[in-house]
């Protein structure tokens, strides 16, 4: 019967259509019962109770004396072992964490009388069934270790993860940090909230929402060795919110971080290098409440939370546009640093988050639950930095269920819902089905409405922006259905089999609208005029609005078996992923320049009379298109653990995993979509000297524009399709991973793990021009004029770049990039000490190498290949006031811990964070290359060889709990961030032939104190 059921489950899995990402929000308890002689004991009744369980669960030990309780909610449990003629054992305080297999073994002694023994149910620190590289953060560590209180700073405490910014005291809260681990790209991350895969597939790999930190019960961060529930090689982030229980409980908090309690870490030397103001906190307020309890004890509970973060910070070089502050902006070094701070504009972020969760016990073995998250974000100046004054930034606001049209973004916040039903068929078999909807809708609008008609300006020499920006509207709903199951098969092939399977059906829609102010960007470059560098009119970039709507289908399935026999556990599984997308039809209006009369110009740029009408960027109606290609991939996983001594304390682990990349909305069908953002760039002669582009100032005498957007056919502007096509043999990117590790538990509270990780990434997609190769390029040398290199120490020597020998066609093909690959190899050591004897600690050290390889045939434009081949993989990240950050660090060291002083019950805690410096790839910008080649930034050194200084910082916390009445605890606290007031440079301007070459563009925020109080009951 058991064998038939196993076969039936396998058949169901093979014909199923769907699967799951690493969206687990549960753990498990398992174990074995023996007698005093060591013989296994079948027939023992094992009863599980806990505050998060509405009804107790029971299991009967199998022929091998084993039992399991899968898919348990996070929390504390009591396990009771009962068999007539033996002592009853009750183990209390068994902690279940996300993804943790908590082993609870027991030995029963014969008793002639009815007797119950109650003991502590401490869980081993070494997981005998799991081979993943995982960091878990319990409620205890989330609240006791000093942090800026968002998931991204918890990622920074995890082993092996490289972050693009340092969040000092909350100065970066409300912004999404980019991050990488083990050489994976930023697009491969997976976000899961209470078991729902909420990953934003448009900003692929991003989180669609922001969070209330005190709503979390626990977080799990996975960076490798994942089982079949994880599709991609990226970081898996599992966030689990709190739950109601049969007891009324809750908490509230209020935290204040103010400039009044902030130091100065900017020296005069740093100010002369561009860090004129640094990045000070102005004011941060974080407050909220969460509460839960029974609706009816044993039948239903409810929980809810509400939190607000109001973050006001200053950004280096981002000044108020007042007359008084104009003098400070013009000569900041002549003012004291705090006078400069007074003139910094406010970069405001406001987050408001509401969560609610309820569970209902329909029958003893069936539970229905509901979860809802509403998360709103308002930002007044997205993109603010020293190169983006206030008028070039964007206002951001989230929206809910928008009806497109004027003013639709004024109200509402995005919402996420989940309904799930869990059925326990027996103590061997359980299944759960859930439906989820993720609302992810927001707008990035002009800072002022009338800027919609104002052309932005760009100084291509310094990258300084001016006058205006753009508007983007995003509507990204997601709907998914997940089915998961667990079956426990015993005495099969001499061991126990823990079988799990899952199905996923997910659909994403991504509607986007884009508009550039004035439908043009006036591009200037600096030339020597009367002995000084002056921006002069250079190129006119004419744009057309975009209206796109993409859909994405994910159909996935996984099946795995955890086979355990004596000291050996073998995890074998596979997953199948089906991914494809499509583009819905839409219409975009033509550029307002279309049909206007252009100018004729002489070789010296003087006006020669009216020319032809501007033929580019007419209106286009797109009927929609299917990708015509689907990624259909199989991913095997194998993991082995061996308990060397049989004590569960010395365990050797090894795993192999094959991952595939996740497809973003429009990644394929966008190749056929002509109504996405489009532009053409031509020489521009500012005849009237007003700095704005008029049609008669555009020079279209050349056969081709200086540059144009991919897919736009400037030879046939009215074409209703793009110039691109998809290779019908295109396949998904692939990653193979091998991990070997040794875990050792010392005593009952301390464990250490050492691992070697190797990965190889291959099969990437790219879009090369048809009938084009590196043979169509010729080398050229360029030495920047001295006038364009005014900064002392700038690297303006001769560089070699490549330019086209003829005008290429506009057709291209989305296909797999031949030959290119990258590898990752790294060593990692981690230490964990659970709370006991008044202290706890976590620490990790990682050392790695991530080279990338460009063999012949893997590129078309040879520019920079010599410095990229063999260089480090270091993806560039930007946004939210940060740019020019290149994510790669040879080593990472993290350590955190807390200690309760014996006198006064005062708690002290700290977090030490250190890493190697990030790459600083200095470049020289070339002149505009012929045949629509545009300009290129050429690396001076091999990519990754030049680096910024190493980073290290220490955060410190002290708190003292007080009991008020019988059930209320109040904990005042003080956190000090960047305790040693370091001023590590985060990024510099990389372009050497620029007036701001090597200038500091971002620097770590100074030491600051946060005062707060937390009340629990």
């Amino acid at each position: 019967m058991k064998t038939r059921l196993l076969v039936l489950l396998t058949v169901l899995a093979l014909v199923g259509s769907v699967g799951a990402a690493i969206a687990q929000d549960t753990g498990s308890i398992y174990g074995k019962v023996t007698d005093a002689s060591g013989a296994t004991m079948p027939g023992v009744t094992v009863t599980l109770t806990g505050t998060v369980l509405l009804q107790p669960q029971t299991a009967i030990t199998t022929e091998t004396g084993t039992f399991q309780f899968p898919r348990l909610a996070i929390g504390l449990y009591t396990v009771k072992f009962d068999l007539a003629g033996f002592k009853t054992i009750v183990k209390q305080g068994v902690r279940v964490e996300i993804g943790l297999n908590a082993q609870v073994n027991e030995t029963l002694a014969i008793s002639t009388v009815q007797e119950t023994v109650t003991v502590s149910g401490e869980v081993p620190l070494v997981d005998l069934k799991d081979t993943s590289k995982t960091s878990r953060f319990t409620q205890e560590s989330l609240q006791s270790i000093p942090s800026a209180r968002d998931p991204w700073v918890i990622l920074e405490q995890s082993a092996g993860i490289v972050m693009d910014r340092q969040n000092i005291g909350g100065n970066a809260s409300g912004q999404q940090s980019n991050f990488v681990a083990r050489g994976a790209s930023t697009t491969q991350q997976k976000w899961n909230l209470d078991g729902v895969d909420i990953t934003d597939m448009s900003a692929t790999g991003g989180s669609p929402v922001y969070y209330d930190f005190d709503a979390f019960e626990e977080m799990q961060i996975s960076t490798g060795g994942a089982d079949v529930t994880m599709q991609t090689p990226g970081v898996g982030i599992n966030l689990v919110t709190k739950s109601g229980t049969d007891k009324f409980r809750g908490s509230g908090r209020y935290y204040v971080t103010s400039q009044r309690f902030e130091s100065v870490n900017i020296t005069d030397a740093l100010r002369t290098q561009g860090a004129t103001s640094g990045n000070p906190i102005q004011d941060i307020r974080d407050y909220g409440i969460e509460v839960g309890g029974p609706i009816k004890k044993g039948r239903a509970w409810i929980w809810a939370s509400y939190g607000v973060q109001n973050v006001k910070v200053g950004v280096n070089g981002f000044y108020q546009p007042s007359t008084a502050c104009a003098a400070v902006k013009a000569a900041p070094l002549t003012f004291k640093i705090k006078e400069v701070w007074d003139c910094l504009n406010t970069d405001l972020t406001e987050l408001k988050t509401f969560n609610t969760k309820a569970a209902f016990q329909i029958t003893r073995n069936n539970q229905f639950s509901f979860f809802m998250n509403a998360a709103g974000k308002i930002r007044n100046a997205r993109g603010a930095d020293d190169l983006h004054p206030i008028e070039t930034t964007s206002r951001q606001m989230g929206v809910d269920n928008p009806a497109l049209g004027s003013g639709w973004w004024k109200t509402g916040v995005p919402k996420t819902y989940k309904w799930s039903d869990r059925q326990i068929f027996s103590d061997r078999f359980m299944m759960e089905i859930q439906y989820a909807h993720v609302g992810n809708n927001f707008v990035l609008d002009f800072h002022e409405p009338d800027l919609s008609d104002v052309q932005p300006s760009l100084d291509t020499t310094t990258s300084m922006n001016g006058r205006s920006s753009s508007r983007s509207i995003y509507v990204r709903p997601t709907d998914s259905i997940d089915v998961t199951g667990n079956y426990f098969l015993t005495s099969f092939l001499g061991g126990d089999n823990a079988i799990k399977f899952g199905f996923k059906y997910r659909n994403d829609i991504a509607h986007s609208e884009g508009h550039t102010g004035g439908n043009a960007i006036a591009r200037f470059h600096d030339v020597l005029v009367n002995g000084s560098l002056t921006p002069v009119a250079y190129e006119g970039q004419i744009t057309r609005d975009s209206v796109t709507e993409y859909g994405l289908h994910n159909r996935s399935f996984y099946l795995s078996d955890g086979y355990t026999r004596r000291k050996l556990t073998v995890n074998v599984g596979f997953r199948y992923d089906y991914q494809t997308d499509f583009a819905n039809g839409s219409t975009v209006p033509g550029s307002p320049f279309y049909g206007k009369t252009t100018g004729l110009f002489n070789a010296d740029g003087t006006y020669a009379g009216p020319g032809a009408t501007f033929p580019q960027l007419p209106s286009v109606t797109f009927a929609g298109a299917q990708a015509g290609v689907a990624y259909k991939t199989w991913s095997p996983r194998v993991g082995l653990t061996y308990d060397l001594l049989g004590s569960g304390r010395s365990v050797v682990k090894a795993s192999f995993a094959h991952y595939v990349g996740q497809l973003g909305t429009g990644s394929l069908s966008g190749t056929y979509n002509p109504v996405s953002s489009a532009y053409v760039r031509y020489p521009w002669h500012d005849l009237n000297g007003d700095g704005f582009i008029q049609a008669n100032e555009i020079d279209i005498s050349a056969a081709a524009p200086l540059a144009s957007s991919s897919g736009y056919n400037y030879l046939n502007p009215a074409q209703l399709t793009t110039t691109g096509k998809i290779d019908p043999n295109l396949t998904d990117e692939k990653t193979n991973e091998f991990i070997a590790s040794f875990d050792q538990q010392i005593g009952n509270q301390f464990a250490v793990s050492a691992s070697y990780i190797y990965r190889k990434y291959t099969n990437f997609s790219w879009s090369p021009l048809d009938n084009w190769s590196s043979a169509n390029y010729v080398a050229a040398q360029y030495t920047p004029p001295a006038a364009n290199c005014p900064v002392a120490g700038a690297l303006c020597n001769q560089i070699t770049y490549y330019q086209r020998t003829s005008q290429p066609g506009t057709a291209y093909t989305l296909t797999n990039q031949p030959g290119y690959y990258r590898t990752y190899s790294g060593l990692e050591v981690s230490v964990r000490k659970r709370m006991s004897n008044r202290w706890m600690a976590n620490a990790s050290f990682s050392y790695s190498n991530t080279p990338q390889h460009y063999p012949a045939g893997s590129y078309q434009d040879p520019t920079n290949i010599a410095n990229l081949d063999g260089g480090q993989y270091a993806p560039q990240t930007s946004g939210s006031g940060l740019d020019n950050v290149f994510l790669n660090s040879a080593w990472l060291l993290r350590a955190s811990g807390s200690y309760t002083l014996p006198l006064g019950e005062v708690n002290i805690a700290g977090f030490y964070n250190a890493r190697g410096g990030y790459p600083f790839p200095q470049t020289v910008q070339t002149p505009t290359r012929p045949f629509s080649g545009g300009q290129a930034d050429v690396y001076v050194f091999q990519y990754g060889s030049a680096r910024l200084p190493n980073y290290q910082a220490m955060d410190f916390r002290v708190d003292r709990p007080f009991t008020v009445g019988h059930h209320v605890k109040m904990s005042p606290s003080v956190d000090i961030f960047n305790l040693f007031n370091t001023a590590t440079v985060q990024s510099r301007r990389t372009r050497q032939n620029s007036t701001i070459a090597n200038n500091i563009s971002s620097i770590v925020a100074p030491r600051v104190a946060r005062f707060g109080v937390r009340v629990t009951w």
Side-chain angles (χ1 to χ4, degrees):
M1 177 63 185
K2 295 175 182 176
T3 303
R4 288 199 301 270
L5 180 56
L6 174 62
V7 173
L8 175 61
L9 291 175
T10 305
V11 172
L12 286 173
L14 291 172
V15 301
S17 60
V18 290
I22 186 169
Q24 59 185 342
D25 58 340
T26 60
S28 70
I29 292 176
Y30 76 100
K32 176 184 281 190
V33 182
T34 58
D35 62 17
S37 69
T40 59
M41 295 188 65
V44 176
T45 300
V46 186
T47 304
L48 185 71
T49 57
T51 57
V52 294
L53 285 179
L54 287 169
Q55 292 287 326
Q57 292 186 25
T58 59
I60 307 298
T61 57
T62 66
E63 297 92 333
T64 57
T66 55
F67 68 95
Q68 73 160 0
F69 295 102
R71 299 189 62 80
L72 295 174
I74 307 309
L76 291 173
Y77 291 87
T78 297
V79 186
K80 178 182 177 183
F81 301 89
D82 190 19
L83 182 65
F86 291 82
K87 291 181 180 179
T88 297
I89 303 296
V90 177
K91 285 195 169 181
Q92 297 179 333
V94 177
R95 174 76 191 182
V96 171
E97 301 174 4
I98 306 174
L100 176 67
N101 301 294
Q103 186 181 42
V104 182
N105 295 335
E106 190 52 65
T107 299
L108 296 186
I110 295 175
S111 176
T112 57
V113 297
Q114 187 174 356
E115 184 179 0
T116 299
V117 179
T118 302
V119 297
S120 172
E122 203 163 75
V123 175
L125 288 166
V126 176
D127 192 330
L128 297 180
K129 294 180 177 291
D130 186 22
T131 58
S132 67
K133 302 308 298 177
T134 299
S135 300
R136 295 183 177 91
F137 298 88
T138 64
Q139 178 69 195
E140 190 173 45
S141 60
L142 291 177
Q143 294 296 340
S144 64
I145 303 300
S147 79
R149 296 173 53 79
D150 70 26
W152 290 271
V153 295
I154 301 304
L155 283 162
E156 190 174 35
Q157 295 181 24
S158 305
I161 298 180
V162 181
M163 309 296 295
D164 73 346
R165 67 197 70 207
Q166 310 306 143
N167 189 344
I168 305 298
N171 75 315
S173 293
Q175 321 310 324
Q176 291 203 31
S177 303
N178 283 321
F179 52 95
V180 297
R182 319 276 193 242
S185 73
T186 59
T187 63
Q188 298 306 310
Q189 327 295 13
K190 296 296 272 185
W191 288 84
N192 303 281
L193 178 62
D194 274 356
V196 178
D197 178 1
I198 62 171
T199 310
D200 189 339
M201 303 309 294
S202 295
T204 314
S207 168
V209 296
Y210 294 85
Y211 307 92
D212 175 4
F213 191 76
D214 273 19
F216 293 128
E217 176 68 26
E218 193 170 304
M219 299 183 192
Q220 178 205 46
I221 314 297
S222 174
T223 57
D227 66 8
V228 294
T229 57
M230 181 70 171
Q231 173 191 339
T232 75
V235 179
I237 304 101
N238 282 316
L239 310 172
V240 177
T241 58
K242 296 175 181 177
S243 300
T245 68
D246 265 354
K247 295 181 179 180
F248 180 76
R249 50 149 298 277
S251 68
R253 89 279 184 176
Y254 191 91
Y255 295 100
V256 177
T257 311
S258 172
Q259 188 170 301
R260 291 176 296 169
F261 310 111
E262 189 169 25
S263 302
V264 174
N265 66 340
I266 306 298
T267 64
D268 289 342
L270 290 171
R271 295 184 72 192
T272 62
Q273 298 174 54
T276 56
S277 65
N279 298 292
I281 288 173
Q282 295 173 344
D283 187 78
I284 300 176
R285 304 296 169 103
D286 181 344
Y287 54 91
I289 188 171
E290 57 88 18
V291 63
I295 299 174
K296 182 178 180 181
K297 289 189 175 182
R299 301 294 295 181
W301 54 248
I302 192 169
W303 168 87
S305 72
Y306 177 73
V308 176
Q309 289 187 73
N310 189 286
V311 182
K312 297 177 181 178
V313 298
V315 177
N316 186 59
F318 182 55
Y319 292 98
Q320 299 175 28
S322 66
T323 302
C325 290
V328 176
K329 180 178 181 180
L333 300 184
T334 63
F335 293 85
K336 295 180 180 179
I337 188 66
K338 292 205 172 181
E339 292 176 323
V340 175
W341 283 5
D342 290 340
C343 270
L344 288 180
N345 225 322
T346 294
D347 182 6
L348 166 69
T349 301
E350 185 177 69
L351 307 176
K352 294 183 178 180
T353 308
F354 174 75
N355 296 280
T356 188
K357 186 189 293 186
F360 306 90
Q361 197 74 30
I362 308 302
T363 67
R364 179 177 176 83
N365 293 319
N366 183 274
Q367 186 179 101
F368 174 82
S369 63
F370 168 78
F371 170 75
M372 191 272 284
N373 164 274
K377 175 179 178 178
I378 296 174
R379 192 172 183 196
N380 75 320
R382 177 164 168 159
D385 61 24
D386 58 327
L387 298 180
H388 288 83
I390 187 72
E391 65 273 12
T392 68
T393 63
S394 300
R395 292 182 298 155
Q396 179 176 350
M397 180 176 288
V399 295
D400 182 40
N401 297 325
L404 295 177
S406 178
W408 62 267
W409 54 83
K410 303 292 186 183
T411 59
V413 295
K415 297 180 178 64
T416 295
Y417 305 92
K418 182 188 83 167
W419 294 267
S420 66
D421 186 80
R422 180 179 299 178
Q423 175 67 43
I424 301 174
F425 294 97
S426 70
D427 60 352
R428 309 285 183 89
F429 184 35
M430 172 191 293
M431 288 189 66
E432 183 172 358
I433 183 170
Q434 74 175 31
Y435 164 77
H437 170 83
V438 180
N440 177 18
N441 317 313
F442 62 99
V443 63
L444 305 178
D445 204 358
F446 291 98
H447 198 270
E448 298 294 341
D450 57 2
L451 295 179
S452 175
D453 298 322
V454 177
Q455 298 171 6
S457 64
L458 174 67
D459 186 326
T460 62
T461 306
T462 63
S463 298
M464 175 62 73
N465 295 263
R467 300 195 305 222
S468 182
S469 59
S470 61
R471 174 190 294 128
S472 299
I473 298 170
Y474 302 103
V475 183
R476 301 171 177 173
T478 296
D479 293 278
S480 61
I481 298 174
D482 288 85
V483 179
T484 55
N486 296 79
Y487 181 71
F488 190 39
L489 177 67
T490 64
S491 302
F492 183 72
L493 299 178
D496 294 327
N497 300 74
I499 300 166
K500 63 180 178 181
F501 59 91
F503 312 86
K504 177 180 284 297
Y505 177 97
R506 172 171 168 160
N507 289 333
D508 293 75
I509 293 292
H511 179 100
S512 303
E513 299 182 16
H515 168 69
T516 299
N519 286 97
I521 300 175
R523 294 167 59 93
F524 300 81
H525 71 162
D526 293 348
V527 298
L528 197 63
V529 178
N530 297 326
S532 62
L533 287 174
T534 303
V536 299
Y538 182 41
E539 300 169 336
Q541 184 163 306
I542 311 304
T543 67
R544 183 173 64 193
D545 290 353
S546 64
V547 181
T548 63
E549 185 167 289
Y550 295 109
L552 176 66
H553 292 318
N554 280 285
R555 314 284 185 258
S556 309
F557 153 73
Y558 67 80
L559 175 66
S560 70
D561 179 20
Y563 171 79
T564 300
R565 183 176 182 180
R566 299 187 179 94
K567 301 178 182 180
L568 176 68
T569 295
V570 181
N571 295 307
V572 179
F574 67 89
R575 63 175 292 131
Y576 173 77
D577 289 281
Y578 172 93
Q579 304 176 85
T580 191
D581 68 357
F582 59 90
N584 289 328
S586 56
T587 299
V588 292
S591 165
F593 288 87
Y594 175 72
K596 300 289 180 65
T597 301
T598 64
L600 292 176
F601 296 88
N602 299 314
D604 61 358
T606 57
Y607 184 64
T613 58
F614 190 69
Q616 303 293 350
L617 303 173
S619 64
V620 176
T621 296
F622 173 53
Q626 298 290 324
V629 171
Y631 291 156
K632 304 174 184 178
T633 51
W634 295 88
S635 302
R637 310 285 166 86
V638 179
L640 304 173
T641 71
Y642 187 75
D643 183 359
L644 291 176
L645 304 177
S647 63
R649 294 172 177 267
S650 304
V651 182
V652 175
K653 300 182 178 182
S655 67
F656 169 80
H658 178 78
Y659 305 100
V660 296
Q662 60 184 352
L663 185 68
T665 50
S667 296
L668 299 177
S669 59
T671 304
Y672 297 126
N673 195 345
V675 293
S676 59
S677 179
Y679 74 87
V680 289
R681 190 184 303 160
Y682 286 97
W684 165 45
H685 305 275
D686 190 14
L687 299 177
N688 61 5
D690 67 350
F692 290 87
I693 303 167
Q694 282 82 41
N696 68 312
E697 298 175 341
I698 303 172
D699 183 356
I700 62 169
S701 59
L706 298 172
S708 63
S709 53
S710 176
Y712 176 71
N713 190 354
Y714 62 85
L715 298 173
N716 183 11
Q719 182 174 323
L720 298 181
T721 59
T722 68
T723 61
K725 64 179 181 296
I726 301 176
D727 181 351
N729 297 314
L730 176 70
T731 54
D732 202 359
E733 62 184 70
K734 298 174 172 59
T735 304
N736 288 326
E737 172 194 77
F738 171 76
I739 299 179
S741 62
F742 175 70
D743 292 2
Q744 177 67 55
Q745 181 167 330
I746 302 170
N748 293 327
Q749 314 297 338
F750 187 86
V752 62
S753 175
S755 304
Y756 170 75
I757 304 106
Y758 174 82
R759 284 181 169 184
K760 184 175 182 180
Y761 298 84
T762 60
N763 212 53
F764 297 93
S765 61
W766 70 328
S767 299
L769 293 168
D770 291 352
N771 305 311
W772 200 254
S773 72
S774 58
N776 296 97
Y777 290 82
V778 62
Q781 280 72 45
Y782 174 65
T783 302
N788 292 104
C789 295
V791 178
L795 303 175
C796 285
N797 298 327
Q798 184 184 78
I799 52 95
T800 298
Y801 67 100
Y802 290 81
Q803 55 190 23
R804 294 166 174 171
T805 57
S806 61
Q807 184 70 34
T810 59
Y812 68 92
T813 301
L814 179 64
T815 186
N816 291 115
Q817 185 174 6
Y820 171 79
Y821 70 97
R822 66 177 182 263
T823 59
Y824 171 91
S825 57
L827 297 172
E828 181 177 295
V829 177
S830 61
V831 174
R832 180 183 180 187
K833 163 68 171 60
R834 64 159 54 110
M835 176 58 80
S836 65
N837 299 322
R838 312 180 76 88
W839 70 285
M840 70 175 184
N842 284 283
S844 66
F845 177 78
S846 305
Y847 183 83
S848 62
N849 183 38
T850 316
Q852 50 187 343
H853 304 276
Y854 288 83
S858 64
Y859 53 88
Q860 289 190 335
D861 185 351
T863 303
N864 281 322
I865 293 300
N867 282 327
L868 288 172
D869 187 30
Q872 292 292 296
Y873 174 67
Q876 182 178 0
T877 180
S878 61
S880 299
L882 192 69
D883 62 0
N884 288 323
V885 176
F886 302 86
L887 291 175
N888 178 282
S889 180
W891 59 271
L892 302 164
L893 174 62
R894 279 83 187 257
S896 64
S898 68
Y899 177 68
T900 302
L901 299 175
L903 297 176
E905 297 300 316
V906 174
N907 301 311
I908 59 173
F911 170 54
Y912 177 74
N913 183 19
R915 58 165 173 78
Y918 288 165
F920 177 37
Q922 292 145 299
T923 64
V924 169
Q925 187 182 60
T926 69
T928 297
R929 298 180 292 176
F931 305 114
S932 303
Q935 293 175 285
D937 284 301
V938 180
Y939 299 123
V940 177
F941 303 117
Q942 185 181 54
Y943 198 72
S945 59
R947 291 181 177 264
L948 296 170
N950 296 340
Y951 169 79
Q952 62 173 336
M954 180 74 182
D955 300 332
F956 178 78
R957 174 185 177 88
V958 59
D959 69 82
R960 169 64 165 91
F962 295 92
T963 300
V964 181
H966 295 290
H967 304 290
V968 178
K969 183 170 71 173
M970 181 178 294
S971 299
S973 62
V974 179
D975 296 84
I976 302 176
F977 300 95
N978 192 5
L979 181 65
F980 303 122
N981 205 30
T982 60
T984 308
V985 174
Q986 294 190 89
S987 60
R988 290 181 181 268
R989 301 298 175 198
T990 59
R991 189 172 296 159
Q992 300 300 290
N993 50 335
S994 166
T995 57
I996 58 171
N998 302 322
N999 266 13
I1000 296 170
S1001 54
S1002 182
I1003 197 165
V1004 170
R1007 176 176 54 232
V1008 67
R1010 180 179 69 201
F1011 296 88
V1013 62
R1014 186 166 183 262
V1015 180
T1016 58
W1017 62 86

